[in-house]
Amino acid sequence: MDLSLFFQQFLNGLSIGSVYAIFALGYTLIFSILGIINFAHGAIFTLGAYFTYALMGGAFGFNGLFANVQLPIRLPFIFALLLGSTLAGLVGVAVERLAFRPLRRQGADPLLTVVSSLGVALVIVNLIQYLVGAESYTFPANTYGNLPPSINFGTPESPIPIRTVQIVIFGVSVLILLILSYFINRTKYGKAMRAVAEDGLTASLLGINTDFFIVLTFFISSFLAGLAGTLVGSSVSIAGPYFGIAVGLKGLAVIVLGGLGSIPGAVVGGLAIGLVEAFVPGEFSAYKDAVAFGILFFMLLVKPEGLLGRRFVQKV
Amino acid sequence: MKKFAAHRTCALLVTFALLLSACGETNSGSNSSTETTSSTTAGSSGAIPIGIAVGQTGNVGLIGQESVAGAKIAEKYFNDKGGVDGTPIKLIFEDTGGDEAGAINAFQSLITKHKVVGIVGPSRSQQGFAAQPVANNAKVPVLGPSTTAKGIPQIGDYIARVSAPVTVVAPNAVKAAIKINPKLKRVAVFYAQDDAYSKSETDIFQQTVKEQGLELVTVQKFQTTDTDFQTQATNGMNLKPDLVIISSLTSDGGNLVRQLRELGYKGLIIGGNGLNTPNVYPVCKALCDGVLVAQAYSPEHSGEINNVYRTAYTNQYKKDPPQFSAQAFTAVQVFVEALTAVDQKTDISKMSLPQLRTELNKQILAGKYDTPIGEISFTSEGEIVQKDFYVAQIKMDADGNKGKFTYLK
């Protein structure tokens, strides 16, 4: 592989890896609080993209209940992104209230909660299809203003083109990760969230409203999913209602690789999977998902706590 | 307790991942206005049931929804004309989803529960190889509306198709590309390796490339569910191809076109059957411009029935009809005309259902039909014999919101 191709593939890996990282952070936040995986996360990722698309004045196609419907609103991308992600966050809160809290209150086996969230995921995906059909939707060409579609990092003779949207995605992802890191480590709310994650019962005895922080965690997690969905959608189009499923599965590989419940692990795992995928040789590129899950299996076998996870020691 | 739960969840991750993956492509069951007929002979319930088993959900939903649109227009048109000698037809829709299991379920439901006289479907060749043997074993005639892979008619005596095989259609696009750019030499091929049709189509494309004396510089693979093609596009573009050929479904292929163009690829692009639909416009928008597609249908075909069909479709959907809709209309038309021919020999309301299905199958293969896709007939194997083929080039408006297929001479 020559240097220019290596550089291109490295940036490709960073771009998609950073999206995996944001997405997996949502999984990780909920896992660290409740000790379960929210399988509706991929569906909320998809919803976020649809919300943003609609708020930008995107029209829906010829199928579904909203055929040819266009919202009488045309927000600029940045506002649509924030509002769309906020709506995705609110859907996450609704999911917590409907699919998680009732079971938690009954002291149900966490496995039932996982199945419940899987059901919610399928309901959301099919509801999307019922409302807007199976068509793909693409964000307007001027979503990122007048930026060129790609930037040449090489020379005119030996071009190294990188799509502008990839660079934007990577930049936004880094910014979001920094903000989230600051929020969790430096703010009162973040510290309270960490306390609930560490030991919910003790935290509530110390006066922390655990229910509130669980809802807040769901909101932040789903906000991040919606944001990631929009970023990916702006890069590759919203490829139908099942758009988030594959990313959702990849997110599982990311958090297992990084370490269940580890926020830095989600970032490292996301970037690692993204980079590994990017460097899968061309003739095997269709097997990049298998590579990601191969890493998952390998990690479960040799280091089940993941790269940055804590080893679980059971006291007897 | 929470830690126990955490590790149990961890252990179950893979199981659920696979489950969710499976669910992602399953069908959502019966769809549309279906009335079960409990009759064992066609006509005794007042309408002749014909099954439409196409994928309205999943990654094949775009194709299936187009098929549904064409079939519904056909149902109304032929019933307005009196159906089968005065007996209306009743289309019964079953969603196959995008996978093989969904197609098998849909076929079984149509055969055993709804007791249809014949089936139009499924959408994908991959599903056809799984589900059509079910109908063949039950001696139920099937017309594939968009199953173009090699080997489909050979599944059995009761399996035919109204979709011209990729072997016939695909080479036309390569020849058209050479005509546009006689200097082209280097060809990069991309295809969805998890789709039987795409695999079949790319084999034909690659064979045509070699036969035309072109150099195949790379073959890049992906999955129909992929959305990010940076790796493949970068690998392909670094080999400086003059022509890119894509065999895929609609969404993945449109995405690949977009990403290639955004990375600066300026050469010709040929799309296979998956890009042969206006549904690709919203995916790559202005960047769809210039993509070449070989087609088995042109909205501009001058036949009378095509004019009727095109008008009905355009009035309803405000755009020109795509190939998949035209082929579904054609499939329903073949059933109606074959049923009419059978009825004129023997009153079909007095036939048992198995007898009717067998006679209908014989008549389908024996008849000639003037349809929106032109004059067609069938070989004894069930392969379509079609005269007219086209090569179209996508032309997009400047804003990228509207486009059309312009036909190359």
Side-chain angles (χ1 to χ4, degrees):
Chain A
M1 182 183 288
D2 66 23
L3 200 62
S4 68
L5 185 58
F6 176 87
F7 180 65
Q8 275 179 291
Q9 299 294 33
F10 182 76
L11 284 179
N12 288 340
L14 282 183
S15 168
I16 192 66
S18 60
V19 171
Y20 291 159
I22 292 182
F23 183 86
L25 273 172
Y27 269 149
T28 295
L29 285 172
I30 289 173
F31 185 87
S32 61
I33 294 269
L34 296 178
I36 51 167
I37 296 292
N38 173 19
F39 270 96
H41 203 60
I44 293 170
F45 168 97
T46 308
L47 268 180
Y50 277 102
F51 284 146
T52 306
Y53 173 81
L55 290 166
M56 287 181 75
F60 292 109
F62 298 98
N63 297 294
L65 203 64
F66 292 169
N68 300 315
V69 168
Q70 191 165 2
L71 287 181
I73 183 169
R74 281 179 184 272
L75 293 178
F77 177 66
I78 185 69
F79 294 116
L81 169 69
L82 293 171
L83 186 51
S85 303
T86 303
L87 290 170
L90 293 174
V91 170
V93 171
V95 168
E96 193 277 330
R97 297 298 291 266
L98 295 171
F100 285 79
R101 187 177 296 191
L103 292 171
R104 200 170 64 248
R105 289 264 161 91
Q106 293 168 36
D109 189 312
L111 179 57
L112 296 180
T113 316
V114 173
V115 175
S116 172
S117 71
L118 183 59
V120 170
L122 292 173
V123 167
I124 290 174
V125 163
N126 282 282
L127 188 63
I128 292 170
Q129 169 126 1
Y130 175 70
L131 294 175
V132 300
E135 292 101 317
S136 293
Y137 295 104
T138 297
F139 285 87
N142 62 352
T143 293
Y144 292 108
N146 294 321
L147 292 173
S150 63
I151 296 169
N152 183 8
F153 285 81
T155 61
E157 296 75 35
S158 303
I160 305 176
I162 303 294
R163 290 171 72 221
T164 310
V165 68
Q166 288 176 269
I167 297 163
V168 171
I169 285 173
F170 181 65
V172 171
S173 301
V174 170
L175 181 67
I176 292 295
L177 293 172
L178 290 173
I179 291 170
L180 189 69
S181 177
Y182 176 83
F183 174 80
I184 287 172
N185 294 310
R186 306 278 175 173
T187 68
K188 193 171 69 173
Y189 280 86
K191 287 173 183 170
M193 272 172 67
R194 281 161 53 208
V196 173
E198 191 63 38
D199 189 335
L201 183 61
T202 307
S204 68
L205 289 173
L206 292 171
I208 294 173
N209 182 344
T210 51
D211 272 349
F212 169 78
F213 283 99
I214 288 169
V215 166
L216 180 66
T217 304
F218 265 86
F219 177 81
I220 293 170
S221 162
S222 301
F223 180 93
L224 292 175
L227 186 92
T230 298
L231 291 176
V232 175
S234 71
S235 169
V236 302
S237 85
I238 308 168
Y242 296 87
F243 167 55
I245 299 290
V247 182
L249 296 176
K250 207 66 67 66
L252 296 178
V254 168
I255 59 170
V256 170
L257 175 64
L260 288 167
S262 166
I263 288 172
V267 177
V268 170
L271 294 175
I273 296 266
L275 287 167
V276 167
E277 280 186 5
F279 285 104
V280 172
E283 56 270 29
F284 300 109
S285 51
Y287 299 103
K288 60 185 185 184
D289 287 356
V291 170
F293 280 89
I295 292 170
L296 180 148
F297 283 124
F298 181 73
M299 187 56 68
L300 283 174
L301 288 174
V302 300
K303 203 171 185 289
E305 70 272 23
L307 292 172
L308 301 179
R310 283 182 297 181
R311 184 178 287 277
F312 174 61
V313 180
Q314 188 179 1
K315 293 177 183 174
V316 291
Chain B
M1 276 304 286
K2 194 173 79 173
K3 300 297 181 194
F4 267 127
H7 281 260
R8 186 165 38 183
T9 304
C10 173
L12 287 161
L13 278 178
V14 175
T15 308
F16 277 106
L18 294 171
L19 178 58
L20 185 56
S21 176
C23 289
E25 288 302 332
T26 52
N27 69 80
S28 54
S30 183
N31 187 335
S32 162
S33 55
T34 62
E35 276 179 29
T36 307
T37 170
S38 58
S39 66
T40 51
T41 56
S44 62
S45 66
I48 302 170
I50 299 170
I52 309 288
V54 292
Q56 298 172 61
T57 54
N59 59 1
V60 76
L62 295 176
I63 293 171
Q65 287 169 4
E66 286 182 2
S67 299
V68 167
K72 282 182 173 172
I73 290 170
E75 180 181 36
K76 183 176 186 313
Y77 172 73
F78 289 108
N79 280 342
D80 288 349
K81 283 183 69 180
V84 177
D85 290 338
T87 306
I89 58 163
K90 172 76 183 165
L91 298 188
I92 297 172
F93 293 89
E94 283 276 352
D95 176 22
T96 63
D99 64 351
E100 293 87 323
I104 291 169
N105 290 342
F107 268 55
Q108 284 176 328
S109 173
L110 288 169
I111 293 164
T112 57
K113 179 180 166 194
H114 297 291
K115 297 186 170 29
V116 296
V117 297
I119 297 173
V120 177
S123 295
R124 291 171 66 186
S125 298
Q126 179 128 344
Q127 296 173 300
F129 290 121
Q132 288 178 340
V134 173
N136 191 65
N137 293 342
K139 295 187 165 55
V140 177
V142 173
L143 288 172
S146 51
T147 45
T148 55
K150 276 194 292 188
I152 289 284
Q154 290 74 28
I155 286 171
D157 293 343
Y158 285 77
I159 310 302
R161 61 178 166 194
V162 295
S163 41
V166 66
T167 45
V168 175
V169 181
N172 295 331
V174 179
K175 289 168 189 165
I178 293 169
K179 209 169 170 182
I180 292 168
N181 178 12
K183 290 182 181 171
L184 76 80
K185 189 75 190 155
R186 296 168 66 79
V187 183
V189 165
F190 296 76
Y191 76 95
Q193 68 156 23
D194 59 333
D195 178 50
Y197 157 73
S198 295
K199 177 72 181 77
S200 172
E201 186 183 72
T202 196
D203 288 344
I204 303 303
F205 272 131
Q206 289 178 45
Q207 190 185 328
T208 308
V209 164
K210 286 171 189 157
E211 284 168 0
Q212 297 293 322
L214 305 173
E215 184 189 354
L216 188 61
V217 293
T218 184
V219 176
Q220 296 282 323
K221 303 166 193 170
F222 53 89
Q223 309 272 8
T224 53
T225 50
D226 282 353
T227 52
D228 187 284
F229 301 101
Q230 309 291 340
T231 304
Q232 293 94 330
T234 304
N235 284 333
M237 278 184 60
N238 269 274
L239 296 164
K240 299 189 170 44
D242 309 308
L243 171 66
V244 161
I245 301 177
I246 299 169
S247 294
S248 64
L249 299 182
T250 307
S251 186
D252 47 332
N255 250 317
L256 178 53
V257 168
R258 177 188 169 184
Q259 288 169 49
L260 281 164
R261 291 295 191 210
E262 285 185 348
L263 280 168
Y265 176 70
K266 292 188 169 62
L268 285 169
I269 297 177
I270 289 174
N273 212 31
L275 298 189
N276 186 9
T277 164
N279 279 320
V280 76
Y281 305 157
V283 184
C284 41
K285 293 210 161 180
L287 299 174
C288 300
D289 197 70
V291 171
L292 294 165
V293 182
Q295 297 191 317
Y297 169 70
S298 163
E300 290 161 26
H301 178 70
S302 57
E304 186 188 339
I305 187 116
N306 183 50
N307 290 336
V308 170
Y309 160 68
R310 182 184 180 181
T311 303
Y313 187 97
T314 309
N315 287 345
Q316 194 167 342
Y317 295 99
K318 313 294 180 235
K319 60 177 181 178
D320 264 346
Q323 177 181 297
F324 298 121
S325 291
Q327 287 171 324
F329 181 102
T330 298
V332 175
Q333 180 186 346
V334 168
F335 270 125
V336 170
E337 291 184 7
L339 281 164
T340 304
V342 172
D343 190 53
Q344 283 164 359
K345 291 179 206 162
T346 314
D347 185 352
I348 60 174
S349 65
K350 294 187 169 57
M351 282 187 187
S352 68
L353 185 57
Q355 186 190 1
L356 174 55
R357 286 168 172 171
T358 300
E359 292 304 315
L360 175 59
N361 189 60
K362 284 181 195 165
Q363 183 57 47
I364 284 170
L365 299 182
K368 280 194 168 71
Y369 311 89
D370 183 13
T371 73
I373 62 173
E375 281 182 29
I376 62 167
S377 58
F378 298 92
T379 67
S380 57
E381 256 188 341
E383 184 63 273
I384 185 173
V385 179
Q386 184 176 350
K387 287 198 313 185
D388 304 312
F389 296 102
Y390 312 86
V391 178
Q393 190 162 29
I394 296 176
K395 292 287 177 203
M396 299 299 297
D397 291 351
D399 62 1
N401 288 330
K402 285 189 178 160
K404 64 177 195 172
F405 287 101
T406 57
Y407 292 86
L408 304 178
K409 296 286 181 266

